[in-house]
Amino acid sequence: MELIDPAPTSKAPASLFTGDVYVNPIKTKAEPSRLIASTVRFTPGARTHWHSHALGQTLFCTDGAGLVVDRKGTVIRLTPGDTVWTPPGEEHWHGAGVDCMMCHIAMLEGTADGDGTTWLEPVTDEEYARADKA
């Protein structure tokens, strides 16, 4: 058993996120475990770019209100206590609501060569607004 010191907060890169997003790693991939987990805090209107995960992703909302959206236009509204599973390869994005911060714990299994995330294009303001109104 081991107590792990908390990792410092870092700002998520603008190349993968729109708006101000802050990340605190909880667990990094360390063999034999492939679990990767982070607390991710989104300011109002902030969001990921479109992306997918080779082995899927679980999101657990801890605070605020947010959105998870797939390419089919399915919108799931997140509130504290909600859990969303995105299956392997499903292109999606997630982020905060227009006027509220949102925090979630993001959990996924890494792959042999990394975290298995494929990052795609930014979510446009129009895509975001359409999802928020849905």
Side-chain angles (χ1 to χ4, degrees), residues 57-61 68 78 82-85 94 104-107:
Q57 180 182 48
T58 300
L59 303 171
F60 176 77
C61 183
V68 181
L78 283 178
D82 291 341
T83 301
V84 174
W85 162 249
H94 33 104
H104 66 45
I105 297 173
M107 298 165 275

Side-chain angles (χ1 to χ4, degrees), residues 15-16 49-52 71 91-92 118-123:
S15 60
L16 305 176
H49 287 191
W50 285 102
H51 63 285
S52 65
R71 289 282 189 184
E91 294 180 2
H92 66 282
T118 300
W119 288 99
L120 304 164
E121 77 276 11
V123 174

Side-chain angles (χ1 to χ4, degrees), residues 1-27:
M1 183 166 48
E2 172 187 4
L3 176 63
I4 300 169
D5 290 332
T9 300
S10 62
K11 188 167 184 192
S15 60
L16 305 176
F17 295 81
T18 298
D20 293 328
V21 178
Y22 299 90
V23 180
N24 285 89
I26 297 171
K27 170 73 175 69

Side-chain angles (χ1 to χ4, degrees), residues 16-117:
L16 305 176
F17 295 81
T18 298
D20 293 328
V21 178
Y22 299 90
V23 180
N24 285 89
I26 297 171
K27 170 73 175 69
T28 57
K29 186 175 83 168
E31 295 298 332
S33 173
R34 297 188 305 175
L35 175 65
I36 299 168
S38 295
T39 301
V40 186
R41 294 174 178 86
F42 296 82
T43 59
R47 58 208 182 254
T48 68
H49 287 191
W50 285 102
H51 63 285
S52 65
H53 303 279
L55 299 173
Q57 180 182 48
T58 300
L59 303 171
F60 176 77
C61 183
T62 61
D63 189 53
L67 308 164
V68 181
V69 182
D70 68 15
R71 289 282 189 184
K72 296 177 282 189
T74 305
V75 176
I76 296 176
R77 295 202 172 269
L78 283 178
T79 58
D82 291 341
T83 301
V84 174
W85 162 249
T86 60
E90 180 176 70
E91 294 180 2
H92 66 282
W93 62 267
H94 33 104
V98 171
D99 58 1
C100 184
M101 294 189 68
M102 189 269 290
C103 180
H104 66 45
I105 297 173
M107 298 165 275
L108 59 105
E109 288 183 70
T111 58
D113 59 349
D115 72 2
T117 303

